[in-house]
Amino acid sequence: MSTKTIYLIRHGQTNYNLQNIVQGSGVDTDLNDRGRAQAQAFFGAYGHIPFDKMYVSGLRRTHQSVQPFLDKGLPYEALPGLNEISWGNKEGQKVTPDEDEYYHYMLKQWQLGDTSLKIEGGESPNDVVARMAPAMEHIMRQTDEKTILICMHGRAIRILMCHLLRYPLKSMDMFEHENLCLYLLHHTGSMFTVERYNDRDHLRALS
């Protein structure tokens, strides 16, 4: 594979983020006012970067997070393989104390190495890698695209970072994220390196 620079961002804030409601891949929410401001702030900081192409998931919140680049005419491709993990029966539900206990139980099992364990009615981290890997292989095969922007989702980013850096999936929670944060990665031709990690400097004016 050829060298490539990847700007990897999480989507901007939605009302479900704000209200602590589970989203996942089955809930197609829109950005709220703050999320749109975050998108504009990111564009203000990185709109000058000569991206060859953008990649987004199949969900609206990623498209809306790069809308200023779309308005500029930057080419893009939507890949459902980049979608958020499916939280199954929990999607669209408010995180109650019982739900929070279940969520942390699942995270603990994954941290212990059982990354084949599926959310009730949803996906396991292994399932996400199985659909994400072909999407990333497609992206990396585009040798004429040297600088790209990818917009994804929180848990999916954690899983992707483990996949790209060849870390065990049980380590995924070491990769922190906030709405419209940035990871800056470089592919040397044989391996990935990380230059920026959960970078939010472009959002300072919104604090």
Side-chain angles (χ1 to χ4, degrees), residues 144-179:
D144 57 328
E145 298 170 9
K146 299 298 185 183
T147 305
I148 63 170
L149 174 61
I150 301 177
C151 186
M152 291 177 58
H153 308 264
R155 180 59 51 177
I157 285 176
R158 285 177 157 155
I159 293 170
L160 177 64
M161 292 297 292
C162 287
H163 175 65
L164 295 183
L165 298 175
R166 301 173 187 172
Y167 289 1
L169 279 179
K170 68 179 182 179
S171 303
M172 64 183 131
D173 286 306
M174 70 183 290
F175 296 106
E176 298 176 350
H177 59 76
E178 295 185 26
N179 288 118

Side-chain angles (χ1 to χ4, degrees), residues 63-127:
H63 297 236
Q64 292 169 2
S65 297
V66 297
Q67 189 63 51
F69 294 93
L70 295 174
D71 293 342
K72 187 179 173 182
L74 192 64
Y76 80 101
E77 187 172 354
L79 299 175
L82 303 179
N83 281 9
E84 179 60 299
I85 191 171
S86 170
W87 293 106
N89 301 341
K90 308 304 179 185
E91 292 183 345
Q93 303 298 314
K94 183 86 172 178
V95 180
T96 64
D98 285 346
E99 297 293 348
D100 195 51
E101 183 178 348
Y102 174 78
Y103 172 74
H104 283 95
Y105 166 79
M106 293 298 295
L107 293 188
K108 183 64 175 178
Q109 301 314 301
W110 294 343
Q111 289 163 2
L112 291 172
D114 190 2
T115 55
S116 64
L117 184 64
K118 299 176 186 282
I119 292 285
E120 185 179 308
E123 292 179 300
S124 70
N126 289 359
D127 292 332

